[in-house]
Amino acid sequence: QVQLVESGGGLVQAGGSLRLSCAASGRTFSSYNMGWYRQAPGKERELVARISWFGGTTAYTDPVKGRFTISRDNAKNTVYLQMNSLKPEDTAVYYCAADKGGTYYWGQGTQVTVSS
């Protein structure tokens, strides 16, 4: 089992940057694919970015391509989401998730608010 704790959210002006971190417990972190999801008020949770267990493959939803970067440090059991050129439409609760073999583990979420 994996426990996840997100941090780094906050309030930022449009055009600014934030870096989210997700610290994972457990010795098998490196065997999990990791993802960042977000959920805005009144909307469904959506995948923002995903990185494979070995870090060699990443994927992004179209609205964040070129602005967000997902990375992981398996030695620190941590996955990051660098968010640049933030827009008001990026406002949401951001969740970290670990998945392997169809099983998902979720963090509690961190709020990101982008003011115009």
Side-chain angles (χ1 to χ4, degrees), residues 6-12 17-21 36 81 83 92 94 109-113:
E6 302 98 331
S7 61
L11 174 64
V12 64
S17 298
L18 284 174
R19 187 174 84 154
L20 305 183
S21 299
W36 285 97
L81 185 68
M83 305 187 294
Y94 283 71
T110 185
Q111 176 71 46
V112 171
T113 303

Side-chain angles (χ1 to χ4, degrees), residues 1-115:
Q1 195 165 1
V2 178
Q3 292 183 326
L4 305 170
V5 178
E6 302 98 331
S7 61
L11 174 64
V12 64
Q13 289 187 335
S17 298
L18 284 174
R19 187 174 84 154
L20 305 183
S21 299
C22 174
S25 65
R27 302 177 182 176
T28 60
F29 170 78
S30 61
S31 67
Y32 285 81
N33 299 310
M34 299 298 297
W36 285 97
Y37 294 72
R38 66 185 180 187
Q39 187 167 19
K43 296 187 177 180
E44 294 186 352
R45 190 173 299 188
E46 63 172 351
L47 176 65
V48 175
R50 193 168 183 268
I51 187 167
S52 60
W53 63 272
F54 60 96
T57 304
T58 58
Y60 299 89
T61 187
D62 284 346
V64 309
K65 285 181 179 177
R67 300 189 297 122
F68 290 11
T69 303
I70 188 171
S71 62
R72 67 188 296 162
D73 185 338
N74 287 341
K76 295 183 178 180
N77 279 14
T78 303
V79 63
Y80 305 97
L81 185 68
Q82 178 66 45
M83 305 187 294
N84 299 327
S85 302
L86 283 160
K87 303 176 181 180
E89 50 263 45
D90 295 319
T91 295
V93 178
Y94 283 71
Y95 298 90
C96 173
D99 74 89
K100 182 171 68 173
T103 298
Y104 283 75
Y105 299 96
W106 295 90
Q108 82 289 349
T110 185
Q111 176 71 46
V112 171
T113 303
V114 184
S115 63

